[in-house]
Amino acid sequence: AQSVAQPEDQVNVAEGNPLTVKCTYSVSGNPYLFWYVQYPNRGLQFLLKYITGDNLVKGSYGFEAEFNKSQTSFHLKKPSALVSDSALYFCAVRSNAGNNRKLIWGLGTSLAVNP
Amino acid sequence: GAGVSQSPSNKVTEKGKDVELRCDPISGHTALYWYRQSLGQGLEFLIYFQGNSAPDKSGLPSDRFSAERTGGSVSTLTIQRTQQEDSAVYLCASSSSGTETYEQYFGPGTRLTVT
Protein backbone atom coordinates (compact mmCIF):
# COMPACT_ATOMS: atom_id res chain seq x y z
CA ALA A 1 0.00 0.00 0.00
CA GLN A 2 1.14 3.51 -0.72
CA SER A 3 1.81 5.75 2.25
CA VAL A 4 3.48 8.97 3.31
CA ALA A 5 4.89 9.74 6.72
CA GLN A 6 5.77 13.13 8.11
CA PRO A 7 7.29 12.06 11.41
CA GLU A 8 7.25 15.48 13.04
CA ASP A 9 4.00 17.20 13.89
CA GLN A 10 5.87 20.42 14.60
CA VAL A 11 9.27 21.86 13.77
CA ASN A 12 10.67 24.94 15.50
CA VAL A 13 13.63 26.86 14.14
CA ALA A 14 15.16 30.25 14.73
CA GLU A 15 15.07 32.80 11.95
CA GLY A 16 18.21 32.60 9.83
CA ASN A 17 18.89 28.97 10.71
CA PRO A 18 18.52 26.15 8.20
CA LEU A 19 15.29 24.19 8.32
CA THR A 20 14.36 20.64 7.41
CA VAL A 21 10.88 19.15 7.23
CA LYS A 22 10.99 15.38 6.87
CA CYS A 23 8.99 13.13 4.59
CA THR A 24 9.31 9.41 3.92
CA TYR A 25 7.17 7.39 1.58
CA SER A 26 6.26 3.90 0.52
CA VAL A 27 5.11 3.14 -3.02
CA SER A 28 5.43 0.36 -5.54
CA GLY A 29 7.17 1.52 -8.67
CA ASN A 30 8.81 4.91 -8.98
CA PRO A 31 7.44 7.81 -6.93
CA TYR A 32 6.15 11.18 -7.94
CA LEU A 33 6.70 13.44 -4.92
CA PHE A 34 5.27 16.84 -4.06
CA TRP A 35 5.51 19.46 -1.33
CA TYR A 36 2.72 21.92 -0.61
CA VAL A 37 2.47 24.73 1.92
CA GLN A 38 -0.62 26.06 3.67
CA TYR A 39 -0.31 29.50 5.19
CA PRO A 40 -2.78 30.49 7.93
CA ASN A 41 -6.26 31.10 6.53
CA ARG A 42 -5.07 30.51 3.00
CA GLY A 43 -5.28 27.69 0.50
CA LEU A 44 -2.65 25.08 -0.25
CA GLN A 45 0.13 26.22 -2.54
CA PHE A 46 2.43 24.06 -4.61
CA LEU A 47 6.11 24.36 -3.63
CA LEU A 48 8.01 21.81 -5.67
CA LYS A 49 7.93 18.33 -7.15
CA TYR A 50 10.18 15.45 -8.06
CA ILE A 51 9.27 13.43 -11.11
CA THR A 52 12.57 12.23 -12.51
CA GLY A 53 16.11 13.43 -13.07
CA ASP A 54 18.22 15.43 -10.63
CA ASN A 55 17.63 14.31 -7.06
CA LEU A 56 17.86 17.89 -5.78
CA VAL A 57 14.77 19.85 -6.69
CA LYS A 58 14.45 23.60 -6.26
CA GLY A 59 11.12 25.29 -5.75
CA SER A 60 9.34 28.43 -4.70
CA TYR A 61 10.42 30.79 -1.91
CA GLY A 62 13.95 29.37 -1.75
CA PHE A 63 12.87 25.88 -0.76
CA GLU A 64 14.49 22.73 -2.07
CA ALA A 65 14.06 19.03 -1.51
CA GLU A 66 16.28 16.04 -2.02
CA PHE A 67 14.96 12.75 -3.32
CA ASN A 68 16.76 9.82 -1.70
CA LYS A 69 15.66 6.54 -3.23
CA SER A 70 17.58 4.28 -0.87
CA GLN A 71 16.08 5.97 2.18
CA THR A 72 12.70 6.54 0.49
CA SER A 73 12.79 10.13 1.65
CA PHE A 74 12.01 13.54 0.22
CA HIS A 75 12.94 16.03 2.91
CA LEU A 76 12.16 19.70 2.43
CA LYS A 77 14.96 22.15 3.19
CA LYS A 78 15.78 25.82 3.21
CA PRO A 79 19.22 27.22 4.03
CA SER A 80 17.97 30.24 6.01
CA ALA A 81 14.49 30.30 7.52
CA LEU A 82 12.25 33.36 7.57
CA VAL A 83 9.49 34.11 10.04
CA SER A 84 7.16 34.27 7.04
CA ASP A 85 7.91 30.58 6.34
CA SER A 86 5.81 29.66 9.37
CA ALA A 87 3.03 27.50 7.96
CA LEU A 88 1.75 23.95 7.57
CA TYR A 89 3.69 21.81 5.13
CA PHE A 90 2.34 18.73 3.37
CA CYS A 91 4.21 16.03 1.51
CA ALA A 92 2.34 13.96 -1.10
CA VAL A 93 3.24 10.98 -3.25
CA ARG A 94 1.91 8.61 -5.83
CA SER A 95 3.43 5.85 -7.86
CA ASN A 96 3.95 5.82 -11.59
CA ALA A 97 2.71 2.22 -11.59
CA GLY A 98 -0.86 1.11 -12.00
CA ASN A 99 -4.02 3.10 -12.58
CA ASN A 100 -4.32 4.72 -9.17
CA ARG A 101 -4.32 8.45 -9.90
CA LYS A 102 -4.78 9.70 -6.36
CA LEU A 103 -2.11 11.51 -4.44
CA ILE A 104 -1.44 10.14 -0.97
CA TRP A 105 -0.94 12.93 1.52
CA GLY A 106 1.02 13.16 4.73
CA LEU A 107 -0.66 14.59 7.83
CA GLY A 108 1.35 17.77 7.66
CA THR A 109 4.12 19.37 9.68
CA SER A 110 3.63 22.72 11.36
CA LEU A 111 6.72 24.88 10.96
CA ALA A 112 7.28 27.72 13.40
CA VAL A 113 10.12 30.12 12.71
CA ASN A 114 10.96 32.23 15.71
CA PRO A 115 12.37 35.75 15.34
CA GLY B 1 -4.86 34.56 -14.32
CA ALA B 2 -7.75 33.49 -12.13
CA GLY B 3 -7.15 30.64 -9.76
CA VAL B 4 -9.51 28.03 -8.41
CA SER B 5 -12.50 29.59 -6.73
CA GLN B 6 -14.91 28.02 -4.28
CA SER B 7 -18.21 29.15 -2.86
CA PRO B 8 -19.43 29.74 -0.31
CA SER B 9 -16.34 30.42 1.76
CA ASN B 10 -18.24 29.55 4.91
CA LYS B 11 -21.42 27.54 5.41
CA VAL B 12 -23.24 26.88 8.64
CA THR B 13 -26.08 24.42 8.42
CA GLU B 14 -28.31 22.46 10.72
CA LYS B 15 -27.93 18.74 11.09
CA GLY B 16 -30.08 16.93 8.57
CA LYS B 17 -30.05 19.69 5.95
CA ASP B 18 -28.55 19.29 2.48
CA VAL B 19 -25.68 21.52 1.31
CA GLU B 20 -24.08 22.25 -2.04
CA LEU B 21 -20.50 23.39 -2.40
CA ARG B 22 -19.27 24.86 -5.66
CA CYS B 23 -15.87 24.78 -7.33
CA ASP B 24 -14.74 26.75 -10.37
CA PRO B 25 -11.45 25.30 -11.61
CA ILE B 26 -8.78 27.10 -13.57
CA SER B 27 -9.93 27.51 -17.14
CA GLY B 28 -8.65 24.71 -19.34
CA HIS B 29 -7.79 22.36 -16.49
CA THR B 30 -9.10 18.92 -17.28
CA ALA B 31 -8.69 17.32 -13.87
CA LEU B 32 -10.63 18.32 -10.77
CA TYR B 33 -10.33 16.96 -7.24
CA TRP B 34 -12.32 17.31 -4.04
CA TYR B 35 -10.69 16.84 -0.64
CA ARG B 36 -11.78 17.21 2.95
CA GLN B 37 -9.54 18.61 5.66
CA SER B 38 -10.60 18.25 9.25
CA LEU B 39 -9.03 20.29 12.03
CA GLY B 40 -5.49 19.08 12.64
CA GLN B 41 -5.73 16.41 9.97
CA GLY B 42 -4.27 15.89 6.55
CA LEU B 43 -6.16 15.88 3.30
CA GLU B 44 -8.76 13.21 2.76
CA PHE B 45 -9.39 12.46 -0.92
CA LEU B 46 -13.07 12.44 -1.86
CA ILE B 47 -13.51 12.34 -5.64
CA TYR B 48 -11.59 12.94 -8.87
CA PHE B 49 -12.83 14.00 -12.31
CA GLN B 50 -10.70 13.70 -15.44
CA GLY B 51 -12.15 14.97 -18.69
CA ASN B 52 -15.07 12.87 -19.87
CA SER B 53 -13.98 9.76 -17.99
CA ALA B 54 -16.05 8.26 -15.22
CA PRO B 55 -15.11 9.95 -11.94
CA ASP B 56 -13.12 8.15 -9.27
CA LYS B 57 -15.54 8.18 -6.35
CA SER B 58 -13.55 5.85 -4.16
CA GLY B 59 -12.97 8.44 -1.43
CA LEU B 60 -16.58 9.45 -0.82
CA PRO B 61 -17.28 8.50 2.81
CA SER B 62 -20.94 7.58 2.39
CA ASP B 63 -23.81 7.65 -0.07
CA ARG B 64 -24.84 11.01 1.38
CA PHE B 65 -21.98 12.52 -0.60
CA SER B 66 -22.13 13.07 -4.34
CA ALA B 67 -20.48 15.31 -6.88
CA GLU B 68 -21.05 16.43 -10.42
CA ARG B 69 -18.96 18.24 -12.96
CA THR B 70 -20.94 19.94 -15.65
CA GLY B 71 -19.49 20.71 -19.05
CA GLY B 72 -16.06 19.68 -17.91
CA SER B 73 -15.74 22.80 -15.82
CA VAL B 74 -17.69 23.75 -12.70
CA SER B 75 -18.19 21.09 -10.06
CA THR B 76 -20.70 20.80 -7.24
CA LEU B 77 -20.23 18.64 -4.16
CA THR B 78 -23.52 17.79 -2.48
CA ILE B 79 -23.88 16.48 1.04
CA GLN B 80 -27.32 15.22 1.93
CA ARG B 81 -28.70 14.95 5.47
CA THR B 82 -25.60 16.55 6.94
CA GLN B 83 -24.14 15.20 10.16
CA GLN B 84 -21.90 16.91 12.69
CA GLU B 85 -18.97 14.77 11.61
CA ASP B 86 -19.24 16.35 8.15
CA SER B 87 -17.91 19.60 9.63
CA ALA B 88 -14.60 20.30 7.90
CA VAL B 89 -12.96 22.43 5.25
CA TYR B 90 -13.76 21.15 1.78
CA LEU B 91 -11.01 21.84 -0.73
CA CYS B 92 -11.18 21.73 -4.47
CA ALA B 93 -8.14 21.47 -6.73
CA SER B 94 -7.58 21.35 -10.47
CA SER B 95 -4.67 20.40 -12.68
CA SER B 96 -3.93 20.76 -16.34
CA SER B 97 -3.87 17.05 -16.92
CA GLY B 98 -4.94 13.83 -15.33
CA THR B 99 -1.37 12.64 -15.27
CA GLU B 100 0.30 12.87 -11.95
CA THR B 101 3.29 14.86 -13.07
CA TYR B 102 1.17 17.99 -13.03
CA GLU B 103 0.75 19.82 -9.77
CA GLN B 104 -2.67 20.54 -8.37
CA TYR B 105 -3.84 24.08 -7.77
CA PHE B 106 -6.11 24.52 -4.77
CA GLY B 107 -8.99 26.82 -4.04
CA PRO B 108 -9.37 28.59 -0.69
CA GLY B 109 -11.85 26.02 0.54
CA THR B 110 -15.34 26.03 2.00
CA ARG B 111 -15.55 25.78 5.78
CA LEU B 112 -18.64 23.72 6.60
CA THR B 113 -20.04 23.75 10.11
CA VAL B 114 -22.93 21.44 10.95
CA THR B 115 -24.74 22.41 14.13
Side-chain angles (χ1 to χ4, degrees), chain B residues 12-33:
Chain B
V12 180
T13 190
E14 293 180 352
K15 178 182 173 180
K17 300 284 190 181
D18 297 352
V19 295
E20 285 190 352
L21 312 180
R22 177 186 168 103
C23 173
D24 283 87
I26 293 173
S27 178
H29 278 193
T30 59
L32 187 147
Y33 308 78

Side-chain angles (χ1 to χ4, degrees), chain B residues 12-85:
Chain B
V12 180
T13 190
E14 293 180 352
K15 178 182 173 180
K17 300 284 190 181
D18 297 352
V19 295
E20 285 190 352
L21 312 180
R22 177 186 168 103
C23 173
D24 283 87
I26 293 173
S27 178
H29 278 193
T30 59
L32 187 147
Y33 308 78
W34 283 99
Y35 295 92
R36 180 167 69 176
Q37 185 178 25
S38 301
L39 187 63
Q41 301 295 314
L43 274 69
E44 176 187 5
F45 167 80
L46 297 177
I47 188 169
Y48 159 63
F49 296 90
Q50 169 53 39
N52 294 322
S53 302
D56 178 348
K57 303 179 181 180
S58 61
L60 294 178
S62 78
D63 59 7
R64 296 187 294 105
F65 288 72
S66 63
E68 292 183 341
R69 189 178 186 192
T70 55
S73 181
V74 172
S75 178
T76 302
L77 177 69
T78 301
I79 309 173
Q80 295 178 312
R81 305 180 302 281
T82 52
Q83 304 295 313
Q84 288 186 332
E85 60 263 30

Side-chain angles (χ1 to χ4, degrees), chain A residues 36-40 42-45 86-90, chain B residues 37 91:
Chain A
Y36 284 79
V37 59
Q38 188 173 34
Y39 296 104
R42 293 174 63 181
L44 278 156
Q45 296 179 30
S86 299
L88 190 57
Y89 290 81
F90 290 95
Chain B
Q37 185 178 25
L91 296 169

